[in-house]
């Protein structure tokens, strides 16, 4: 089925032009945004209190990209709605989403080089945008959106809320001395209620070395006393000890921030040991029932990539990283991470490079207690005739009435036959797939 919809411009922001999208009905649950010939891709996903799946990303429109929110029915895989989030005359892309399932409010972040209706900061080349939307058992609607940035380059990578109208956005900024390169940055909005925040609600802090520093994901400690940022850097932080980085390797870090009227750094970043002749990157974080954070990422050694898992314990008093655990798969990139309802397993998604340069979606299951990969039907590999990659993964717990517990993987495909379903164009397309905790596809 193909649906076409025209959206009227408001507040001087241009509309998405003649939105067209398609889902394929068959014995498969798989959803593909494939009717339009324009490139579109997924960046992140989340679920509301009814289990509906929400995907944020971009879609090309007259030479520029627009940020959108796709809502998919978790039981059927059918498209429920497609809603613009932040659309200007420039390039707009959504990169992160967090849904407070108590209020069914969605907080979404991204970046833009356009001019939105409400700006804070000096705003320059590229800026962050933050939006709040009402979701749940309704068609999603925008509560407010703002644009925030420095005179140079700013990009949001992740977003988090504590459920009491306070939100944090992690990302990067280049508004620093030239010798410092790219800095990790965290933005706090202290009052993210029904009306748009004002300038006094916003504060920020940075992680800065003389290298390239990225904040890629955020989490709250068990007592909700600190917001914790995780990322990677090829620079040196002086605490707890100065370490010479003569080879330019990237390593993981965690940084703890307190929050009240403003967000401030409280513990210095504690650094992981340099990987031996390699590069480490963190792409996702999840907090388990013990309060420990588990990080999913990628280790690159030469031409080989591997999915890695790292565990961070005792976040409030000591940011400590466990010994490395990683898979044996080469050419692999780990992105999203999620737990099942009884906290027995955790799951990651990403991509695995194939001979000839194409890639396939990979879904792995790990035993939570040991971070050891499961066997039997795992990993699950889903592919087509092009480049396919999983970007995020969510889980529907049994209280929402969907049985058995299901995993929802979202990402992008360049295949014309992804998961056996045909789609037009062959450009990049958004997809969503569903599997159960035993590794069976729907």
């Amino acid at each position: 089925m193909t649906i076409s919809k025209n959206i009227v411009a408001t507040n001087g922001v241009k509309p998405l032009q003649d939105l067209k999208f398609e889902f394929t009905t068959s014995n498969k649950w798989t959803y593909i945004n494939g009717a339009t010939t324009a490139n579109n891709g997924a960046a992140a996903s989340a679920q509301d209190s009814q289990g509906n799946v929400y995907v944020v990303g971009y879609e090309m429109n007259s030479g520029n990209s627009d940020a959108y929110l796709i809502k998919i029915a978790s039981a059927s895989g059918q498209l429920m709605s497609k809603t613009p989030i932040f659309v200007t005359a420039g390039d707009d892309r959504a990169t992160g989403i967090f849904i407070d399932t108590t209020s069914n409010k969605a907080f979404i972040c991204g970046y833009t080089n356009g001019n939105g209706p409400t700006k804070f900061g000096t705003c320059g080349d590229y800026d962050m945008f933050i939006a709040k939307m009402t979701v749940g058992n309704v068609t999603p609607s925008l509560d407010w959106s703002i644009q925030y940035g420095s005179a140079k380059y700013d990009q949001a990578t992740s977003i988090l809320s504590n459920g009491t109208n306070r939100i944090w956005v992690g990302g990067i900024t280049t508004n620093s001395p030239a010798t410092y390169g790219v800095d990790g940055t965290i933005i706090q909005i202290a009052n993210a209620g029904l009306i748009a925040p004002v300038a006094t609600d916003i504060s920020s802090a940075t992680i800065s070395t003389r290298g390239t520093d990225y904040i890629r994901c955020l989490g709250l400690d068990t007592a909700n006393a600190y917001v914790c940022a995780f990322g990677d850097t090829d620079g040196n932080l002086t605490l707890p000890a100065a370490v010479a980085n003569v080879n330019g390797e990237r390593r993981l870090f965690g940084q703890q921030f307190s929050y009240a009227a403003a967000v401030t750094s409280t513990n210095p970043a504690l650094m992981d040991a340099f990987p031996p002749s390699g590069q480490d990157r963190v792409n996702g974080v999840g907090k388990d029932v013990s309060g420990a954070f588990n990080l999913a990422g990628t280790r690159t050694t030469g031409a080989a990539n591997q999915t890695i898992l790292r565990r961070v314990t005792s976040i409030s008093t000591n940011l400590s990283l466990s010994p490395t655990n990683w898979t044996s798969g080469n050419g692999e990139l780990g992105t999203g991470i999620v737990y099942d309802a009884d906290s027995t397993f955790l799951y990651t998604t990403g991509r695995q490079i194939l001979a000839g340069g194409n890639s396939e979606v990979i879904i792995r299951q790990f035993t939570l207690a040991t971070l050891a990969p499961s066997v039997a039907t795992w990993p699950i590999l889903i592919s087509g005739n092009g480049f396919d990659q999983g970007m995020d993964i969510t889980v529907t717990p049994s209280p929402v009435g969907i049985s058995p517990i299901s995993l929802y993987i979202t990402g992008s495909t360049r295949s014309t036959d992804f998961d056996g379903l045909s789609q037009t164009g062959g450009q990049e397309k958004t997809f969503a797939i569903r599997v159960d905790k035993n590794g069976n596809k729907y």
Side-chain angles (χ1 to χ4, degrees):
M1 181 173 71
T2 302
I3 302 173
S4 177
K5 183 178 181 182
N6 292 311
I7 300 174
V8 178
T10 57
N11 297 324
V13 179
K14 75 176 176 70
L16 291 170
Q17 300 296 321
D18 190 29
L19 285 181
K20 295 180 180 179
F21 35 90
E22 179 179 68
F23 61 85
T24 304
T25 56
S26 68
N27 59 340
K28 294 177 180 290
W29 187 96
T30 304
Y31 163 86
I32 299 177
N33 179 22
T36 175
T37 58
N39 282 337
N40 61 86
S45 59
Q47 289 180 267
D48 64 19
S49 61
Q50 285 81 42
N52 299 309
V53 180
Y54 296 80
V55 187
V56 297
Y58 82 97
E59 182 169 290
M60 298 304 297
N61 178 13
S62 301
N64 292 318
S65 57
D66 297 322
Y68 66 81
L69 174 70
I70 282 180
K71 179 180 181 181
I72 305 169
S74 57
S76 65
Q78 293 188 353
L79 178 71
M80 301 180 72
S81 63
K82 184 175 181 182
T83 309
I85 306 166
F86 195 89
V87 181
T88 72
D91 286 314
D92 316 302
R93 299 200 178 203
T95 56
I97 179 171
F98 177 89
I99 295 180
D100 175 12
T101 55
T102 301
S103 63
N104 274 332
K105 294 293 184 179
F107 300 94
I108 300 166
C109 67
Y111 61 94
T112 179
N113 67 352
N115 291 302
T118 305
K119 290 184 174 182
F120 296 101
T122 52
C123 293
D125 295 339
Y126 273 85
D127 305 310
M128 299 181 179
F129 74 76
I130 302 104
K132 183 177 183 180
M133 302 185 73
T134 298
V135 296
N137 194 25
V138 295
T139 299
S141 60
L142 182 67
D143 293 346
W144 51 258
S145 66
I146 64 171
Q147 185 171 338
Y148 177 89
S150 67
K152 296 186 179 180
Y153 186 96
D154 304 273
Q155 178 178 327
T157 58
S158 56
I159 192 165
L160 177 69
S161 173
N162 65 353
T164 58
N165 291 332
R166 188 182 297 266
I167 63 176
W168 299 272
V169 179
I172 61 171
T173 181
T174 60
N175 193 41
S176 300
T179 54
Y180 283 21
V182 177
D183 291 338
T185 185
I186 182 169
I187 310 300
Q188 175 179 276
I189 300 178
N191 181 18
L194 292 177
I195 61 174
V198 297
T200 54
D201 295 325
I202 304 173
S203 60
S204 65
T206 59
I207 294 175
S208 180
T209 72
R210 291 184 180 270
T212 302
D213 317 309
Y214 279 85
I215 291 178
R216 301 193 189 270
C217 44
L218 302 172
L220 283 171
D221 76 329
T222 303
N224 286 345
Y226 301 99
V227 59
C228 307
F230 301 98
D232 45 82
T233 179
D234 59 5
N236 297 312
L237 294 182
T238 58
L239 295 174
V243 181
N245 185 4
V246 295
N247 296 320
E249 291 97 346
R250 298 197 66 79
R251 54 182 178 172
L252 310 183
F253 68 77
Q255 178 88 28
Q256 184 172 290
F257 297 87
S258 64
Y259 59 88
V263 59
T264 56
S265 175
T266 56
N267 279 3
L270 299 189
M271 310 299 291
D272 195 7
F274 283 127
S277 301
Q279 310 286 336
D280 281 358
R281 167 176 168 162
V282 59
N283 297 309
V285 64
K287 185 172 66 175
D288 62 32
V289 291
S290 72
F293 289 97
N294 294 288
L295 310 178
T298 304
R299 167 161 294 175
T300 302
T301 305
N305 294 325
Q306 296 175 313
T307 295
I308 60 170
L309 291 177
R310 302 301 302 269
R311 178 163 287 159
V312 181
T313 57
S314 304
I315 195 75
S316 295
T317 56
N318 179 29
L319 284 165
S320 59
L321 290 163
S322 74
T324 303
N325 293 270
W326 70 87
T327 74
S328 58
N330 288 331
E332 190 173 319
L333 172 70
T335 52
I337 184 170
V338 74
Y339 306 93
D340 62 11
D342 56 9
S343 297
T344 302
F345 299 104
L346 64 83
Y347 303 84
T348 65
T349 189
R351 59 130 170 97
Q352 181 168 263
I353 297 295
L354 301 173
N358 288 336
S359 67
E360 58 190 345
V361 178
I362 186 167
I363 311 161
R364 287 192 177 273
Q365 182 189 71
F366 296 85
T367 301
L368 181 58
T370 62
L371 299 188
S374 298
V375 291
T377 58
W378 300 91
I380 300 172
L381 303 172
I382 304 171
S383 63
N385 57 11
F387 192 92
D388 310 313
Q389 177 171 318
M391 293 299 296
D392 207 355
I393 184 169
T394 63
V395 61
T396 297
S398 53
V400 300
I402 298 175
S403 182
I405 294 171
S406 297
L407 304 167
Y408 297 88
I409 298 88
T410 55
S412 300
T413 175
R414 287 185 175 270
S415 298
T416 57
D417 60 347
F418 179 73
D419 198 25
L421 300 177
S422 62
Q423 55 108 351
T424 59
Q427 295 94 352
E428 185 175 24
K429 306 294 181 185
T430 297
F431 74 78
I433 54 181
R434 178 186 177 192
V435 302
D436 67 26
K437 63 181 296 183
N438 297 315
N440 302 307
K441 289 193 300 178
Y442 286 83

